[in-house]
Amino acid sequence: MISAYTAGQWDEALSCARRIEAYVRGPGAAGPSGPALLAAEIHCTSGEQQRALAWLGQVPDTVVHPLGGWVRLGMRYRSGNPDEAFEGGWRDVRRARESGLLEGLERLLGRLFQ
């Protein structure tokens, strides 16, 4: 999925996300999901906000991880809420740092300052 995502082969990445989600999470499972977050980012970037929200809805807002903050920041900004995006991004940075999740934080900060 990551290879397809970074190569811009988004249809393949989304197909992988669906397969991973079906295999790993199964029906009724809860918790953080990297594939769901990347799928949300793909749909958001391609202007499919409803599909992005559907994927993002699988990941609770309480999930503290820089990837989640990165995707939520992009969603808020692209939805026309730059102030909310900035404030939420900083909140996600603080939560990640407090939880000791520093890996990937530079990407969230980079998007925040874009």
Side-chain angles (χ1 to χ4, degrees):
M1 178 180 179
I2 301 296
S3 296
Y5 174 79
T6 57
Q9 299 169 342
W10 289 354
D11 289 336
E12 177 65 23
L14 290 170
S15 178
C16 289
R18 287 189 291 274
R19 286 194 309 269
I20 293 168
E21 288 292 300
Y23 180 76
V24 174
R25 292 171 53 109
S33 173
L37 290 169
L38 282 180
E41 176 65 16
I42 289 168
H43 284 300
C44 183
T45 301
S46 60
E48 299 172 351
Q49 299 291 30
Q50 293 304 316
R51 287 184 178 183
L53 288 171
W55 277 100
L56 193 57
Q58 295 180 31
V59 183
D61 286 339
T62 56
V63 169
V64 178
H65 192 277
L67 179 58
W70 185 68
V71 173
R72 285 189 291 268
L73 174 61
M75 289 284 297
R76 290 178 187 125
Y77 185 80
R78 290 181 183 115
S79 295
N81 299 311
D83 293 335
E84 182 183 337
F86 189 75
E87 290 171 19
W90 272 117
R91 185 173 46 251
D92 286 334
V93 166
R94 282 191 302 273
R95 289 175 48 205
R97 288 186 68 207
E98 289 167 359
S99 298
L101 297 170
L102 304 179
E103 189 172 333
L105 197 56
E106 73 281 356
R107 292 192 183 253
L108 173 56
L109 287 167
R111 180 173 259 188
L112 186 61
F113 288 113
Q114 268 183 333

